[in-house]
Amino acid sequence: MKKFLTLTLSLVLALVLVSSQASAQQFSKRKQYNTVGVSLNAMNYFGDITPKPSIASFRFAATRPNIGLTFMHRFAPRISVRGSLSYGRITGDDAKAADDTDPEARYRFNRNMNFRNDIVEGAVVGVFDLIENRNNYLKRPDFVPYVFAGVAAFHHNPKGLDQNGNYIALQPLGTEGQRATGDQYGLWQFSLPFGGGVRYKLNKSFDLGLEIGWRKTFTDYLDDVSTNYVANRNDLTPGAAQYFGYDITKGIDGTYSTANQAGGQRGKSNEDDWYIVTGLSVNYILAPRIKSPKFR
């Protein structure tokens, strides 16, 4: 799956680069323009605290809002470059996502993990329109499907709900023994955003967009769950007990298992986490200023 997605992303980027070089010379600066936009989105994640340990599994009720600002420059009949800044939240809860009657899900139900993670992302992507426009913005098509791919940097900070109902930052606790090994995950990460969408021309100045985009990250710790429980309580940061062993069950009878014992398995997916952003955008076209030629 990783190789397929990496190859797909590489092909999209190559297509954008080749097409931009071939068409930029045919698209005068008089036809180039900029747009600014705002988006209201839904945000989900794929990782260890989902109904099933697969990239296609997510819990609809765990959807959280995301908002964003964009700036895009159109410089070829099919090619634009877009920068964006967004903020949103992802969540997960074993008690709600895992079915204790399902033998394959009982492990996650007994684990009883929960988290929320606020993500601030800055991204730059190339946008490739499937319908070209060799005219200016006034004569752009009414309906344009497109694909996009690029790079992004994001800041995240997973937090867990403790027994007192407070959310506590998990990364400093070293819940998987990082305090002893010094192998702590970073809160700043990179991702590869890619996806597709459609734009609809509302009038000469506004477009309405619908888009879905995946973020391939390079960390398995968006949910603070990846490998095994810490084998030695002394390796935990003070205050982390509620995320160790039987303490995470909050004293619920019948939830103890080998899954939450010292050194036992904590994560199960063995894959980097993903997040997905789906939503609507309104984009305003900044009409280009055209300088009249000077005659002598």
Side-chain angles (χ1 to χ4, degrees):
M1 183 68 175
K2 283 185 176 180
K3 292 182 178 179
F4 173 77
L5 290 172
T6 301
L7 178 61
T8 300
L9 182 59
S10 299
L11 290 175
V12 171
L13 288 173
L15 182 61
V16 169
L17 292 174
V18 171
S19 298
S20 63
Q21 293 177 353
S23 58
Q25 296 178 351
Q26 306 172 13
F27 202 68
S28 68
K29 289 186 177 181
R30 287 171 173 263
K31 297 178 181 178
Q32 297 179 19
Y33 58 88
N34 300 320
T35 65
V36 293
V38 295
S39 61
L40 179 60
N41 312 296
M43 203 168 184
N44 294 92
Y45 110 108
F46 306 125
D48 290 277
I49 307 180
T50 50
K52 295 184 181 297
S54 66
I55 192 173
S57 175
F58 73 94
R59 178 171 167 263
F60 182 78
T63 302
R64 293 296 182 271
N66 172 288
I67 57 175
L69 300 173
T70 62
F71 177 85
M72 187 167 69
H73 176 65
R74 175 183 173 83
F75 64 91
R78 293 181 184 268
I79 305 299
S80 302
V81 173
R82 185 179 72 193
S84 64
L85 180 65
S86 64
Y87 167 80
R89 175 176 290 177
I90 56 175
T91 66
D93 190 333
D94 280 335
K96 299 176 181 178
D99 182 2
D100 65 331
T101 63
D102 181 355
E104 294 184 357
R106 190 173 299 124
Y107 157 80
R108 294 184 297 280
F109 181 83
N110 291 342
R111 183 178 57 187
N112 199 33
M113 290 290 180
N114 66 80
F115 86 101
R116 75 181 189 189
N117 196 342
D118 293 339
I119 295 177
V120 178
E121 176 197 85
V124 177
V125 301
V127 181
F128 181 79
D129 290 351
L130 301 184
I131 299 177
E132 70 175 7
N133 174 27
R134 295 187 178 275
N135 297 306
N136 59 29
Y137 77 98
L138 294 173
K139 297 181 179 180
R140 67 191 187 279
D142 290 337
F143 181 84
V144 179
Y146 63 89
V147 294
F148 68 89
V151 295
F154 66 92
H155 181 272
H156 73 119
N157 187 21
K159 296 181 179 180
L161 191 64
D162 69 8
Q163 295 172 333
N164 298 318
N166 301 314
Y167 277 97
I168 297 177
L170 300 178
Q171 188 252 23
L173 301 183
T175 54
E176 295 184 355
Q178 296 97 333
R179 183 187 182 194
T181 63
D183 187 23
Q184 187 60 279
Y185 60 89
L187 299 182
W188 283 98
Q189 298 285 340
F190 288 96
S191 70
L192 298 178
F194 64 95
V198 293
R199 291 193 306 273
Y200 176 73
K201 178 181 176 181
L202 293 176
N203 55 39
K204 70 176 184 178
S205 299
F206 285 93
D207 285 341
L208 180 66
L210 174 63
E211 181 176 293
I212 179 170
W214 290 264
R215 271 63 169 176
K216 164 68 178 76
T217 76
F218 298 92
T219 177
D220 193 22
Y221 285 100
L222 292 184
D223 47 22
D224 191 66
V225 177
S226 181
T227 58
N228 299 322
Y229 287 98
V230 62
N232 186 345
R233 274 182 183 269
N234 294 328
D235 292 338
L236 279 169
T237 299
Q242 62 266 39
Y243 297 100
F244 173 81
Y246 64 84
D247 292 319
I248 63 166
T249 63
K250 304 176 184 178
I252 301 174
D253 293 336
T255 62
Y256 310 121
S257 72
T258 57
N260 46 26
Q261 299 299 316
Q265 188 177 34
R266 191 166 184 257
K268 197 171 182 178
S269 69
N270 299 318
E271 298 282 349
D272 290 334
D273 296 333
W274 293 61
Y275 59 97
I276 181 174
V277 180
T278 307
L280 292 170
S281 65
V282 177
N283 304 285
Y284 176 72
I285 296 175
L286 302 174
R289 294 182 179 180
I290 301 175
K291 295 182 179 180
S292 301
K294 295 181 179 180
F295 297 95
R296 294 182 178 179

